[in-house]
Amino acid sequence: MKECSVEMFRSNCPSRELLDQIADKWSMMILAVLAHGPLRFNAIKRGLEGITQKALTQTLRKLERNGIVARHVIARSPVAVEYEITDLGRSLVGPFKALYMWTRDHYDAVEKARAEFDARMEERV
């Protein structure tokens, strides 16, 4: 791995690219939906209000490429596809759950900060 640090995220830093690919909102939410077990595409989509078919497809491919999610073709008539979290992906569930809990625990403080910021911005106008 190329040398990188938390103080300097250089454009060629591999961790920067990986963070971009696993820490976006859809990736985190897909992993949350899949945390309870394998699901088919439309079941994942139903669990993520607002995601487009294109965004879900792109995010699942990205997660599969990074070894976070596995895609399994189920030979039936009609053919079905199921997605599940890999062992590598499961190692993200704890950190993502902690981040989610932080959002729940600190939402009121964030809302207060937003309101104060908006009020200051209105005073400037």
Side-chain angles (χ1 to χ4, degrees):
M1 185 161 142
K2 296 176 185 146
E3 189 63 34
C4 299
S5 70
V6 173
E7 297 82 26
M8 181 64 155
F9 282 103
R10 298 188 186 280
S11 63
N12 65 345
C13 180
S15 61
R16 178 174 163 172
E17 179 187 5
L18 188 54
L19 279 170
D20 180 51
Q21 292 189 1
I22 64 171
D24 65 277
K25 72 176 181 179
W26 292 127
S27 292
M28 294 178 77
M29 286 189 251
I30 287 170
L31 289 179
V33 169
L34 288 174
H36 303 291
L39 291 172
R40 290 168 67 172
F41 185 92
N42 284 329
I44 298 168
K45 192 170 187 309
R46 282 192 297 274
L48 298 170
E49 186 175 312
I51 193 168
T52 64
Q53 185 162 333
K54 180 180 177 181
L56 180 55
T57 299
Q58 289 174 338
T59 306
L60 285 167
R61 281 190 187 143
K62 179 175 59 176
L63 291 170
E64 182 182 6
R65 181 172 183 262
N66 286 305
I68 308 299
V69 167
R71 180 181 183 269
H72 304 287
V73 177
I74 303 165
R76 292 189 199 151
S77 183
V79 174
V81 177
E82 193 173 71
Y83 296 88
E84 70 177 324
I85 300 176
T86 63
D87 290 340
L88 180 60
R90 289 216 175 277
S91 69
L92 286 170
V93 172
F96 283 179
K97 186 174 183 178
L99 181 58
Y100 172 73
M101 294 308 294
W102 184 92
T103 64
R104 290 189 58 191
D105 294 345
H106 295 88
Y107 188 80
D108 291 340
V110 170
E111 279 295 298
K112 182 179 181 224
R114 288 175 178 169
E116 291 169 358
F117 177 88
D118 292 346
R120 285 193 312 272
M121 291 299 109
E122 286 180 17
E123 290 173 5
R124 290 184 180 181
V125 175

